[in-house]
Amino acid sequence: MAATTAAAHGKEQVVDISFLDCCHDPQLQALRVLYESTHDLESLQRCTGCGAFWFYRFHEWVNYCGGDDDLTSWYTQLTDDDGRRLLRQGDRPDLSFLAGCPSWMDDRDGVRRVAGAPTGPRS
């Protein structure tokens, strides 16, 4: 199974990423955390199988009325130039280009292709 580890509530868990389409067996390794809070995470990752760069965003929508929270992840494949730029840029790189990048979105409704990814954290 293509997998990566993701932190949620301070615990690492294995996440199935076999839907990623960069190679036949995608395995992601975090290169740089760009932002992290209680409910959000942004990181630059690279596939150890093929070398493709990926931008990973996680957000937890907390259900304060009871019931399950909605955990949502976006995976956006980057060009080599964008990946290298994010790797070397300072504190808060401009992520506005993500709005127009096709991405994979994984939430309680399943995995699907979407036209773009959020350009900033929710919290």
Side-chain angles (χ1 to χ4, degrees), residues 1-122:
M1 170 178 77
T4 189
T5 57
H9 300 292
K11 297 178 182 175
E12 283 199 358
Q13 54 185 301
V14 175
V15 176
D16 178 11
I17 57 167
S18 58
F19 54 87
L20 297 182
D21 53 359
C22 59
C23 65
H24 72 283
D25 187 27
Q27 306 286 328
L28 297 182
Q29 176 183 23
L31 301 176
R32 178 180 177 204
V33 174
L34 300 169
Y35 178 81
E36 188 171 15
S37 72
T38 306
H39 303 288
D40 290 284
L41 175 69
E42 296 176 343
S43 69
L44 175 63
Q45 303 197 7
R46 192 163 208 178
C47 179
T48 59
C50 67
F53 285 102
W54 289 87
F55 181 82
Y56 171 72
R57 178 184 311 279
F58 168 82
H59 180 73
E60 175 186 25
W61 279 277
V62 178
N63 182 348
Y64 291 105
C65 297
D68 293 333
D69 295 342
D70 186 14
L71 309 178
T72 304
S73 296
W74 291 266
Y75 297 86
T76 307
Q77 189 170 0
L78 304 174
T79 65
D80 284 346
D81 288 343
D82 284 335
R84 283 191 283 278
R85 180 178 54 81
L86 291 180
L87 190 57
R88 68 176 182 266
Q89 262 187 338
D91 291 337
R92 183 74 190 146
D94 178 14
L95 300 174
S96 60
F97 72 96
L98 293 172
C101 293
S103 302
W104 290 101
M105 182 176 166
D106 183 5
D107 65 8
R108 67 177 164 217
D109 295 327
V111 176
R112 62 197 169 282
R113 208 59 166 143
V114 294
T119 60
R122 305 277 188 206

